[in-house]
């Protein structure tokens, strides 16, 4: 098919998995399109410093993503960032994707690399007070709360480590967590419990946020008794994990009950010619390095798939 | 130093010049942080589309950025980046913290008009 909008492979997602797949595919001279809803680099761009990427002593995530994008485009990948997918068809030998601007693209294979995003509480007032007292990034916004009392929501490593780091600025941190125990590693729990500025409200969640021009307080609901209490606070930091960006694939692909895509050892999904790589996959460890590995495998498997298709 | 492909505003005087010489201006005032970088990326994507708007960034920690940090429309902001929009030299809209492409486009369209097809 000689069509300028037809590609050998379309990659959906521009994090380390998608960009790595793009580098491998375009270097193998396969016509490759990468579409991403956000900035190329994905969640990696949200990391201030990466110090465990082999071969690079220290680099910020944005720079690593920029270099990966540069490599992919230098080898010939067409990268379209901040692009919404309005419709798609993954079945059959020719896959298709239509973007929000009405452009349609087709391909012989698809690699899904849609990653994940920060989970939000989804309660009343959360959108209203984002940036006016509610934050999802301690390193970005911590200094706005110097000398104030804040709440941290969550019980994983991020929540506890960020709570400790926020004590540099604030006078008091109250950690609100939905369970009666933490999911974080013991070292993080010990460090938080040893910090005199931190106290804990367990088996509870935030029911709503309130305020006028900026956040003034929250309603905390005890999940055992159902009782709601008023809690005055200047700020709330939310660290309650990530969700895979796969809702739009519901019913099309085999996924687990957490919405993560089930793949084989070669990153193949339940649909022939559709591969998946990175944080959207069902797996235990989610690191830049594991995403890069997934992207490599998916690209090589997709190339192999195309080669076999052309021979038949 | 902001490592973006946007044009940078370095001083209050330069900002004043930019907004006096251009009818429609968007400035993202932030750091190289997780909430700011996506907004710079969105601006880089939109810059060639919205040719009637000038796009700039400014370093939040630059003392000269107080003209944005202390503006009436950014009062109460507690999240980076501060993204501000100027029409005919006047700040007409401001947002705090990360924004989506759709949120930015909605503001650009309503404040400055949609780009020509």
């Amino acid at each position: 098919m000689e069509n300028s909008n037809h590609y050998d492979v379309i990659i959906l997602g521009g994090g380390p998995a998608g960009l790595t797949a793009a580098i491998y595919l375009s270097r193998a001279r396969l016509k490759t399109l990468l579409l991403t809803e956000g900035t190329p680099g994905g969640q990696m761009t949200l990391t201030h410093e990466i110090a465990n990427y082999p071969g690079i002593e220290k680099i910020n995530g944005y720079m690593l993503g920029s270099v990966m994008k540069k490599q992919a485009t230098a080898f010939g990948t067409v990268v379209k960032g901040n692009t919404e997918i309005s419709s798609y068809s993954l079945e059959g030998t020719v896959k298709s994707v239509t973007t929000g601007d009405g452009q349609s693209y087709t391909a012989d294979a698809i690699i899904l690399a849609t990653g994940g995003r920060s989970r939000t509480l989804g309660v009343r007032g959360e959108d209203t007070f984002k940036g006016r007292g509610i934050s999802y990034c301690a390193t970005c916004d911590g200094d706005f709360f110097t000398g104030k009392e804040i709440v941290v929501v969550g019980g994983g490593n991020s929540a506890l480590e960020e709570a400790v780091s926020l004590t540099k600025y604030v006078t008091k941190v109250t950690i609100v967590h939905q369970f009666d125990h933490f999911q974080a590693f013991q070292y993080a729990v010990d460090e938080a419990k040893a910090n005199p500025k931190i106290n804990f409200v367990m088996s509870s969640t935030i029911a709503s946020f309130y305020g006028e021009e900026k956040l003034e307080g929250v309603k905390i609901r005890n999940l055992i008794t159902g009782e709601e209490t008023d809690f005055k606070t200047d700020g709330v930091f939310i660290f309650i994990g990530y969700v895979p960006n796969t809702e739009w694939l519901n019913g099309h692909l085999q996924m687990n009950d957490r919405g993560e895509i089930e793949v084989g050892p070669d990153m193949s999904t339940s649909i022939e010619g559709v591969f998946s790589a990175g944080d959207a996959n069902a797996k235990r460890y989610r690191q830049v390095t594991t995403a890069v590995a997934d992207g490599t495998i998916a690209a090589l498997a997709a190339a192999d798939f195309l080669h076999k298709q052309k021979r038949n | 130093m902001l490592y973006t492909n946007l044009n940078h505003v370095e001083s209050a005087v330069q900002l004043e010049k930019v907004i006096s010489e251009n009818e429609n201006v968007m400035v993202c005032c932030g750091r190289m942080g997780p909430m700011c970088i996506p907004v710079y990326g969105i601006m880089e994507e939109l810059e060639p589309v919205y040719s009637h708007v000038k796009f700039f960034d400014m370093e939040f920690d630059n003392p000269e950025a107080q003209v944005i940090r202390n503006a009436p429309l950014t009062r109460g902001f507690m999240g980076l980046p501060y993204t501000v929009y100027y029409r005919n030299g006047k700040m007409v809209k401001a947002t705090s913290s990360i924004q989506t492409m759709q949120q930015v486009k909605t503001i650009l369209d309503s404040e400055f008009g949609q780009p020509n097809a």
Side-chain angles (χ1 to χ4, degrees), chain A residues 71-283:
Chain A
Q71 285 176 288
T73 52
F75 287 129
T77 297
V78 176
V79 176
K80 293 182 185 291
N82 290 295
T83 302
E84 288 172 36
I85 308 298
S86 59
S87 65
Y88 63 93
S89 170
L90 302 179
E91 307 284 350
T93 52
V94 177
K95 327 290 185 189
S96 67
V97 176
T98 301
T99 54
D101 59 5
Q103 287 284 321
S104 288
Y105 305 94
T106 55
D108 300 319
I110 296 267
I111 294 178
L112 304 167
T114 53
R117 64 183 184 280
S118 293
R119 191 188 294 272
T120 58
L121 285 166
V123 302
R124 188 156 46 88
E126 190 171 9
D127 283 342
T128 308
F129 296 109
K130 185 185 80 170
R132 292 176 178 269
I134 296 177
S135 175
Y136 304 87
C137 176
T139 53
C140 308
D141 301 332
D143 57 352
F144 288 109
F145 298 89
T146 300
K148 297 180 186 294
E149 297 188 4
I150 63 158
V151 168
V152 166
V153 185
N157 286 322
S158 295
L160 297 194
E161 288 173 4
E162 300 291 19
V164 170
S165 86
L166 283 163
T167 59
K168 284 184 294 187
Y169 307 106
V170 305
T171 54
K172 183 181 169 192
V173 176
T174 300
I175 295 179
V176 176
H177 184 42
Q178 61 179 327
F179 301 122
D180 63 358
H181 60 280
F182 294 107
Q183 298 99 314
F185 290 134
Q186 195 57 43
Y187 77 86
V189 177
D190 292 344
E191 201 179 345
K193 284 187 172 172
N195 193 308
K197 287 185 178 176
I198 298 178
N199 65 335
F200 304 90
V201 177
M202 306 300 285
S203 304
S204 299
T205 190
I206 304 294
S208 63
F209 298 90
Y210 66 85
E212 291 291 330
E213 200 171 75
K214 59 184 180 179
L215 181 72
E216 292 169 13
V218 295
K219 299 281 186 191
I220 296 178
R221 181 184 301 134
N222 183 303
L223 292 170
I224 296 169
T225 64
E227 184 187 359
E228 280 190 17
T229 52
D230 188 32
F231 194 92
K232 302 281 183 203
T233 186
D234 299 301
V236 176
F237 286 76
I238 301 170
F239 306 106
I240 50 174
Y242 287 89
V243 285
N245 294 321
T246 56
E247 297 90 341
W248 59 291
L249 293 164
N250 277 343
H252 291 268
L253 283 172
Q254 195 174 322
M255 292 192 267
N256 65 18
D257 56 6
R258 291 189 294 276
E260 299 160 344
I261 299 169
E262 303 273 14
V263 294
D266 63 350
M267 303 295 146
S268 58
T269 69
S270 53
I271 300 177
E272 191 179 45
V274 178
F275 302 82
S276 181
D279 285 2
N281 286 3
K283 60 178 184 175

Side-chain angles (χ1 to χ4, degrees), chain B residues 28-75:
Chain B
C28 184
C29 185
R31 298 174 178 144
M32 289 309 292
M35 298 291 126
C36 305
I37 288 167
V39 181
Y40 303 139
I42 288 167
M43 292 170 74
E44 288 178 16
E45 294 283 338
L46 293 178
E47 193 167 25
V49 180
Y50 285 78
S51 55
H52 60 305
V53 181
K54 298 292 179 191
F55 294 82
F56 293 88
D57 61 34
M58 188 170 193
E59 205 166 3
F60 187 82
D61 296 308
N62 179 342
E64 300 274 312
Q66 57 82 21
V67 290
I68 292 173
R69 291 197 302 265
N70 299 331
L73 286 185
T74 62
R75 194 176 59 190

